[in-house]
Amino acid sequence: MGGSELKYVQKAFESNYIAPLGEYVDRLEREVCAFSGSPAAAALCSGTAAIHLALRLSGVERGDRVVVSTFTFIASASPVLYMDAVPVFVDSDEKWNMDPELLEIAIRKEKPKAVIVAHIYGQPARIAEIARICESYDVTLIEDAAESMGALYDSVHTGSFGRFGIYSFNGNKIITAGGGGVLVGSDERDISRARHLATQAREDELWYEHAEMGYNYRMSNVAAAIGVGQMEVLRSRIERKRAIFESYRELLGDIEEISFMPEEERAVGNRWLSTLTFERSDPFEVMRRLDENGIESRPLWKPMHLQPLFSGAKVYGGGVSETLFARGLCLPSGTAMERADIERIAGIVRGALR
Ligand SMILES: *Cc1c(COP(=O)(O)O)cnc(C)c1O
């Protein structure tokens, strides 16, 4: 936590508005808009819920195809199943995010209703090109910016290129509300409809009137109070995350077989996690060695097309993300780490190499 969160939570309690409405819900929506440059935002209970609503608002129906990055966390893809739609996966380019050329091939063949592109580990995909392709084929673009809050492409925030963008306030993200998500959109009408669907699609009557299926997806005022407090520290968190990445690069960059996650020239990522790949050494051996020293680390995302849940799903390409999974490692990246911690971790990694 940064400092103001408890004060805001206390104010939320004093106002006695704990429910999914109240001052902080409105304020978080305003602050996310002001920060990201998106015209409209709806505070929700999770980033996953935000993706689900984005698909619903995109008019996705049963059996429709939706193109999704394969190199991502499950929550980019599972909302496609909530809609009884069919996910089609697209591989990464050499900078780890969705390959625009493969995307165009997939769009031509599959005629999807929507595209969900993830900005992985806080590093922007080639989003200007992806947005242009989606526009030229008239496909709705949904940006999964759950990991990339504050990351820029051409000085524009990830999440604000598509008709929809989503941010996550889950506990593991760069800032958190304990749990939560925000749906941003280029059209205020979409977002007010999202708020309606997220409150059980209750019609504006004295009694409980429902004309369509909704969800219980709003964020509580208490969570929003934490989120508002966290917005104050987002910029400093990004600076810290980027400094942690630079420290690792300084300490391990001389090792020839190590490649750190690249950054697009036109992008400035938030470096949510410091990640790298090994040419020869086994990352699982490195993870074991770190674990012996009481240090938690993880492999890179296992691609969606390799998940048992999606066996049989179509994938365009696949080899790049498979190699990333086989060869990659997420290093500890918590902003509370000190230089000595990073040096110790780097020393263990170095000692575990072949
Ligand atoms: C965390 C995450 C989500 C989901 O966000 P929640 O708020 O946890 O539901 C979606 N996509 C990616 C890439 C994520 O990392």
Side-chain angles (χ1 to χ4, degrees):
M1 292 290 105
S4 306
E5 294 87 349
L6 195 54
K7 185 178 78 197
Y8 295 151
V9 169
Q10 214 143 16
K11 282 200 185 151
F13 270 75
E14 282 160 15
S15 75
N16 214 20
Y17 273 101
I18 304 305
L21 80 174
E23 180 198 340
Y24 287 106
V25 175
D26 300 340
R27 193 164 147 191
L28 183 63
E29 292 176 347
R30 283 198 307 272
E31 292 198 2
V32 169
C33 286
F35 179 83
S36 67
S38 282
L44 303 169
C45 62
S46 72
T48 312
I51 296 174
H52 188 191
L53 286 177
L55 289 171
R56 175 92 187 263
L57 292 164
S58 303
V60 170
E61 288 173 7
R62 170 173 303 179
D64 282 343
R65 277 170 288 238
V66 176
V67 169
V68 188
S69 305
T70 194
F71 188 61
T72 186
F73 176 57
I74 188 72
S76 303
S78 40
V80 177
L81 300 183
Y82 304 170
M83 301 299 297
D84 285 324
V86 179
V88 173
F89 296 108
V90 166
D91 201 8
S92 305
D93 63 17
E94 73 286 357
K95 291 189 172 164
W96 302 25
N97 280 303
M98 185 187 275
D99 183 331
E101 277 94 72
L102 283 178
L103 169 65
E104 185 157 9
I105 294 167
I107 289 178
R108 281 204 190 136
K109 287 244 171 84
E110 306 290 336
K111 313 239 178 306
K113 264 279 172 61
V115 169
I116 302 172
V117 57
H119 301 286
I120 282 309
Y121 303 125
Q123 296 302 105
R126 282 154 68 189
I127 192 63
E129 208 173 328
I130 288 170
R132 188 185 50 71
I133 292 166
C134 288
E135 199 172 349
S136 69
Y137 290 90
D138 201 21
V139 181
T140 301
L141 173 59
I142 301 166
E143 284 180 84
D144 180 349
E147 299 176 2
S148 70
M149 206 169 180
L152 304 171
Y153 191 93
D154 289 344
S155 308
V156 176
H157 278 264
T158 55
S160 59
F161 285 81
R163 178 170 162 198
F164 297 106
I166 76 101
Y167 301 116
S168 169
F169 284 77
N170 196 46
N172 62 339
K173 299 304 197 284
I174 191 159
I175 56 168
T176 179
V182 172
L183 176 69
V184 293
S186 52
D187 189 335
E188 168 63 48
R189 285 165 305 181
D190 278 336
I191 298 303
S192 61
R193 197 162 142 65
R195 290 195 196 97
H196 172 68
L197 292 173
T199 42
Q200 309 284 17
R202 187 187 168 189
E203 300 296 327
D204 193 16
E205 298 286 358
L206 182 58
W207 55 91
Y208 286 84
E209 179 84 5
H210 303 275
E212 59 183 331
M213 182 182 76
Y215 314 91
N216 182 8
Y217 273 177
R218 280 294 254 169
M219 186 184 276
S220 83
N221 200 38
V222 179
I226 301 171
V228 167
Q230 287 269 285
M231 288 299 290
E232 293 174 6
V233 299
L234 178 51
R235 277 177 216 282
S236 67
R237 288 284 157 83
I238 295 170
E239 269 172 41
R240 183 76 197 116
K241 289 279 193 187
R242 289 191 63 89
I244 290 168
F245 179 88
E246 289 312 322
S247 297
Y248 279 127
R249 189 144 69 178
E250 176 201 324
L251 293 162
L252 295 169
D254 64 302
I255 300 170
E256 217 185 315
E257 69 152 314
I258 286 182
S259 308
F260 283 89
M261 182 177 184
E263 190 163 54
E264 291 291 338
E265 298 88 59
R266 293 160 68 178
V268 182
N270 68 17
R271 296 290 188 198
W272 173 55
L273 294 187
S274 288
T275 57
L276 50 76
T277 55
F278 302 103
E279 190 89 30
R280 290 183 307 279
S281 297
D282 178 5
F284 292 85
E285 173 58 23
V286 179
M287 280 174 245
R288 200 183 56 75
R289 215 59 97 68
L290 286 167
D291 186 56
E292 278 170 11
N293 286 274
I295 297 164
E296 188 184 6
S297 62
R298 292 279 169 88
L300 300 183
W301 296 129
K302 182 175 180 179
M304 291 303 108
H305 70 273
L306 296 183
Q307 300 289 351
L309 174 64
F310 294 120
S311 67
K314 249 199 194 168
V315 58
Y316 285 79
V320 175
S321 55
E322 286 169 24
T323 303
L324 288 171
F325 175 58
R327 305 243 53 95
L329 177 69
C330 297
L331 290 162
S333 307
T335 48
M337 280 196 306
E338 293 180 6
R339 174 76 186 186
D341 300 320
I342 300 170
E343 285 173 1
R344 186 165 156 256
I345 294 161
I348 295 164
V349 169
R350 189 178 282 276
L353 301 182
R354 289 218 318 220

